[in-house]
Amino acid sequence: MKIYRVLFGLLLLMISFDAYSVLRIVTTTQDLAAFAEAVGGERVKVQSLTQGTRDPHFAAAKPSMIRKVFRADLLLVIGADMEIGWLPPLLQSARNARVQPGNPGYLDLSNSIALLGKSSGPVTRAMGDVHAKGNPHYWLDPANGIRMAQAIAARLGELDPSHKDEYQKRFNTFAQTMDKKLQSWQASLAHLKHKPFIAYHTSFVYLADAFGFLIVDEVEPKPGIAPSAASLSALVSRIDNNEIGLLIIEPYYERRSSRYLNEKTGIRVVVLPQSVGARPDINSYIDLFDAIVAALNDTGGK
Ligand SMILES: [Zn+2]
């Protein structure tokens, strides 16, 4: 019996060692997971609840997601209502006090960002379905990416103070790499400055801000509202009159409307990856912008 007791003791030790040596981070998107991995290194185990191939406004809560949230030490969310349709019931079912809003294990990254598209007046359904608290697609500005990684490094340092310097050091390396890359991305997209584009959804306003092009309209008449025949024909005249040469769209939206606009006006349609994981070759935040820059340059800048 003694040997069993020793083995049991060893097992407990291994479990507790695992529990205290690695922070279990759960993220709502793969972009957040990429930041957590960049600043957490081998001190963290990161799992994303959704895949970058899907529209992050919508997700179906699955038992496997509840299990992940149940075990998490830290939950990272985009916030600004991005996950409003699916995260609250998941948090309730997971019954994990560590990661409830207001506790140190819950980090809403939208609090580190100056959001675009914030309404000063009352929020109504007439503004569309999904952006009532401001535009939540803020990770598509590389400067915001640095802010997000910084906020995550700071929180990791609070949850795991003995490795605080390590998280800060990894963040510094990430920020330095980003600064260098940003210069080359900006040089590579300089020819798009002040060019008018349209987007399917209002996802790319932060990207446009970062690189100096303009998004003058969207295919969706309101965020989250599908286009109608009337709204599409109004767009046809707008594209013709303003010589808008490019329509950018995320991989997960329907293509019928953009095909129609292309047939009627000749506008070029570029499918732009919007998240880490949107394509199998996009595994980091730097990969994401490399892919975005390459896709935009594929158009010849028209
Ligand atoms: Zn959106």
Side-chain angles (χ1 to χ4, degrees):
M1 282 306 282
K2 203 176 163 196
I3 184 72
Y4 287 113
R5 231 176 283 150
V6 171
L7 281 174
F8 185 62
L10 270 175
L11 189 68
L12 274 184
L13 202 68
M14 281 163 69
I15 290 169
S16 57
F17 179 76
D18 183 55
Y20 291 107
S21 66
V22 174
L23 277 172
R24 285 157 302 192
I25 304 179
V26 168
T27 68
T28 57
T29 69
Q30 280 192 254
D31 304 287
L32 292 169
F35 294 128
E37 279 163 1
V39 297
E42 73 274 15
R43 299 257 165 237
V44 298
K45 182 171 180 281
V46 188
Q47 290 180 303
S48 173
L49 294 173
T50 67
Q51 298 303 309
T53 48
R54 309 294 286 268
D55 181 349
H57 286 296
F58 307 101
K62 293 185 207 139
S64 61
M65 292 157 90
I66 297 171
R67 280 197 296 276
K68 284 175 188 164
V69 176
F70 172 73
R71 294 195 203 105
D73 299 308
L74 175 61
L75 176 65
L76 303 178
V77 309
I78 293 291
D81 279 358
M82 177 60 100
E83 302 95 344
I84 191 76
W86 57 275
L87 187 62
L90 204 63
L91 268 174
Q92 205 175 9
S93 306
R95 294 174 189 277
N96 174 356
R98 289 189 299 275
V99 299
Q100 295 298 321
N103 286 348
Y106 179 91
L107 180 58
D108 176 343
L109 276 309
S110 72
N111 293 330
S112 310
I113 306 294
L115 293 180
L116 299 174
K118 255 187 168 171
S119 160
S120 47
V123 170
T124 70
R125 291 277 295 177
M127 294 166 179
D129 268 4
V130 292
H131 290 181
K133 282 196 180 153
N135 190 311
H137 297 271
Y138 57 81
W139 67 91
L140 285 165
D141 178 341
N144 285 345
I146 294 174
R147 291 184 187 106
M148 295 164 80
Q150 186 169 29
I152 295 167
R155 183 60 60 92
L156 289 177
E158 284 165 29
L159 293 173
D160 179 19
S162 55
H163 300 109
K164 193 177 170 189
D165 293 348
E166 211 179 297
Y167 299 127
Q168 186 59 41
K169 218 171 133 189
R170 278 207 202 85
F171 164 70
N172 292 343
T173 308
F174 173 77
Q176 280 161 12
T177 313
M178 281 294 294
D179 281 343
K180 266 192 221 134
K181 289 295 284 187
L182 187 53
Q183 286 176 22
S184 77
W185 294 327
Q186 270 166 342
S188 182
L189 295 182
H191 61 107
L192 298 182
K193 279 235 161 89
H194 312 302
K195 293 254 167 87
F197 297 171
I198 60 173
Y200 188 93
H201 179 77
T202 57
S203 311
F204 297 114
V205 287
Y206 294 92
L207 185 75
D209 250 26
F211 294 101
F213 58 85
L214 307 167
I215 295 187
V216 296
D217 213 338
E218 280 87 33
V219 177
E220 285 182 337
K222 296 268 165 60
I225 308 292
S228 64
S231 72
L232 283 177
S233 82
L235 256 186
V236 168
S237 342
R238 179 119 207 238
I239 292 165
D240 283 341
N241 294 337
N242 296 282
E243 296 181 359
I244 302 167
L246 197 66
L247 190 171
I248 51 182
I249 180 169
E250 292 95 329
Y252 48 74
Y253 281 118
E254 55 91 9
R255 305 285 169 81
R256 200 166 38 88
S257 306
S258 50
R259 265 202 301 273
Y260 172 82
L261 293 170
N262 167 265
E263 278 161 20
K264 292 282 174 190
T265 68
I267 193 167
R268 298 178 78 156
V269 178
V270 173
V271 178
L272 221 52
Q274 84 301 331
S275 274
V276 174
R279 290 196 328 230
D281 59 327
I282 304 176
N283 295 306
S284 71
Y285 190 65
I286 285 165
D287 286 351
L288 172 63
F289 282 93
D290 280 340
I292 287 174
V293 170
L296 284 171
N297 276 335
D298 255 1
T299 66
K302 285 177 194 161

